[in-house]
Amino acid sequence: MEKTDKILDLFKNDKDAYHSGEEISASLGISRQALWKHIEKLRETGYAIEAVPHLGYKLLGVPDRVLAPEIKWHLNTKTLGKTVYSYEAVGSTNNIAYKLAEEGAREGTIVIAEEQTKGKGRLGRSWISPDASGIYLSCILRPEILPNEVPAITLVAAVSAVKAIREFSGIKALIKWPNDIIIADRKAGGILTELKAEMDRVNFAVLGIGINVNTKKSNLPKGATSLKEESKSSRDFSRVDLIRAFLEAMDREYLKFKKSGFSAIRSELKSYSCTLGRYVKIATSNGKKVQGKATDINKSGALVIKLDNGTKQLFLSGDVTLLR
Ligand code: BT5
């Protein structure tokens, strides 16, 4: 733990108290002068810290930024978020996480940023990631599964995100198979899972999720929305609180998935789906396009489409348009 994290910990564990410079520096094993430098560093990051002669320091406010110590603080997870890297602006959090994973970063490592300048969607598409208003998060996973089981990770993340959004905001988010988070028929979030694998072994997966939280519609592509745009309140949502809710939900769902496979989350996924029962068009990356009724998400997470001629086809990935 960094010294500044330890200082924040001390403050937060007894929020209303003043902590004397003597007490803090003794418990950290540093000089009063060194403590002063750490306090200044925290202030520069945006923490409001009061200093009163003879009383000591008190934390008055934390910045509205997705900072690692805020995300990690007493986070109730077994695997996710034990290591968190937070950045101001990056190209893509997925690219950073991929590199860290190649260098051996442990499972559950999180990369997060205030802004992405080259946010990625699937198949070379881009993810619009305006500054200080959304969540742009990547997570390194090292599941012992076969490469063809990896698409299920996107579904595990989608279930976790929808649960977190619902619990956190009361907004009835839904999942458009396989990777869209939908609110009021508009896209409010997306998931991109990237993979490094051999024929029969997954080295690691990078699970990337983007959620439009306080983002204005005018800063988003057509057809997109954000939690704030769909909520009745004019107040901003705390992105840190939503990130924490997502990580705690994902930690639980991912553990279930690792233990029992996709069947552990299948019924929940189906209950949150806005795809099932609808007449859809699906386009795959190899140019195949079909229309039909989405009737099921099968035991492997594949979407089952009943074509007009009555035959059924399975899809493990693709872009779905809801027609009626
Ligand atoms: C996705 O792709 O939905 C996956 C998005 C994953 C983003 C996260 S953010 C953290 C991590 N780091 C990254 O670089 N990426 C991940 P796809 O299904 O291909 O959808 C992309 C399409 O969604 C675009 O072509 C736009 O039409 C639309 N889009 C782009 N930005 C959007 C936004 N902010 N909100 C809603 N729709 C958006």
Side-chain angles (χ1 to χ4, degrees):
M1 215 191 219
E2 282 193 31
K3 293 272 191 290
T4 44
D5 292 359
K6 283 190 182 159
I7 297 170
L8 287 172
D9 228 36
L10 270 173
F11 285 153
K12 289 180 180 174
N13 285 333
D14 195 352
K15 267 188 176 164
D16 298 320
Y18 284 92
H19 300 264
S20 74
E22 205 176 346
E23 168 207 330
I24 308 176
S25 34
S27 79
L28 264 66
I30 56 173
S31 69
R32 299 281 292 270
Q33 216 173 358
L35 171 63
W36 176 250
K37 280 195 185 145
H38 290 306
I39 296 277
E40 279 307 294
K41 199 171 153 199
L42 284 168
R43 283 178 169 153
E44 277 161 26
T45 316
Y47 288 92
I49 299 168
E50 187 188 22
V52 179
H54 309 301
L55 276 176
Y57 299 102
K58 184 172 162 182
L59 182 64
L60 297 181
V62 298
D64 177 28
R65 292 172 59 193
V66 292
L67 298 169
E70 299 305 316
I71 292 165
K72 275 164 62 177
W73 196 70
H74 290 204
L75 188 69
N76 188 10
T77 57
K78 290 202 165 61
T79 316
L80 268 55
K82 300 292 172 202
T83 307
V84 178
Y85 295 95
S86 58
Y87 297 92
E88 275 301 309
V90 300
S92 154
T93 55
N94 261 34
N95 289 356
I96 295 178
Y98 197 97
K99 194 154 171 278
L100 286 168
E102 282 189 313
E103 290 162 2
R106 66 173 162 169
E107 172 156 84
T109 298
I110 303 296
V111 177
I112 185 141
E114 288 286 332
E115 177 184 6
Q116 292 186 120
T117 51
K118 288 200 177 84
K120 300 192 296 185
R122 294 175 303 158
L123 306 168
R125 292 187 284 241
S126 61
W127 187 255
I128 307 295
S129 314
D131 186 25
S133 53
I135 291 173
Y136 318 113
L137 179 151
S138 300
C139 178
I140 295 170
L141 300 173
R142 299 184 181 278
E144 286 172 8
I145 57 175
L146 295 170
N148 65 8
E149 294 172 282
V150 167
I153 288 183
T154 297
L155 304 175
V156 172
V159 166
S160 310
V162 160
K163 274 186 154 180
I165 291 171
R166 286 174 174 228
E167 275 166 30
F168 167 79
S169 67
I171 295 173
K172 295 264 174 290
L174 292 167
I175 300 165
K176 181 154 79 76
W177 184 95
N179 73 318
D180 286 353
I181 311 292
I182 301 291
I183 301 174
D185 291 334
R186 291 167 177 270
K187 184 159 172 170
I191 297 162
L192 166 70
T193 305
E194 296 184 286
L195 179 66
K196 179 159 178 174
E198 293 155 34
M199 285 296 278
D200 51 6
R201 196 176 84 98
V202 171
N203 297 105
F204 61 80
V206 171
L207 181 276
I209 178 161
I211 304 176
N212 306 323
V213 183
N214 299 316
T215 328
K216 290 199 178 76
K217 262 190 195 158
S218 55
N219 288 333
L220 290 170
K222 231 177 117 206
T225 192
S226 70
L227 265 67
K228 188 170 177 193
E229 290 279 6
E230 301 303 331
S231 85
K232 289 177 189 78
S233 161
S234 59
R235 278 185 49 201
D236 274 2
F237 289 105
S238 156
R239 288 172 300 150
V240 165
D241 287 349
L242 181 55
I243 290 164
R244 289 166 57 88
F246 169 71
L247 291 177
E248 289 180 354
M250 177 80 193
D251 192 72
R252 286 194 301 271
E253 302 303 322
Y254 179 60
L255 272 184
K256 278 199 253 170
F257 167 72
K258 282 212 290 193
K259 206 169 144 223
S260 319
F262 174 69
S263 64
I265 60 137
R266 182 175 169 219
S267 64
E268 257 180 323
L269 174 73
K270 285 171 70 169
S271 74
Y272 294 143
S273 169
C274 63
T275 317
L276 291 180
R278 300 283 297 265
Y279 193 81
V280 304
K281 182 169 84 187
I282 179 162
T284 63
S285 54
N286 59 15
K288 183 174 166 183
K289 279 186 190 146
V290 302
Q291 289 190 6
K293 190 169 175 192
T295 57
D296 198 9
I297 294 168
N298 83 358
K299 284 185 176 136
S300 320
L303 187 66
V304 182
I305 304 281
K306 189 175 171 199
L307 305 184
D308 294 337
N309 66 15
T311 59
K312 286 187 173 171
Q313 283 195 12
L314 297 182
F315 293 86
L316 263 174
S317 65
D319 281 311
V320 171
T321 313
L322 306 177
L323 297 176
R324 53 177 198 263

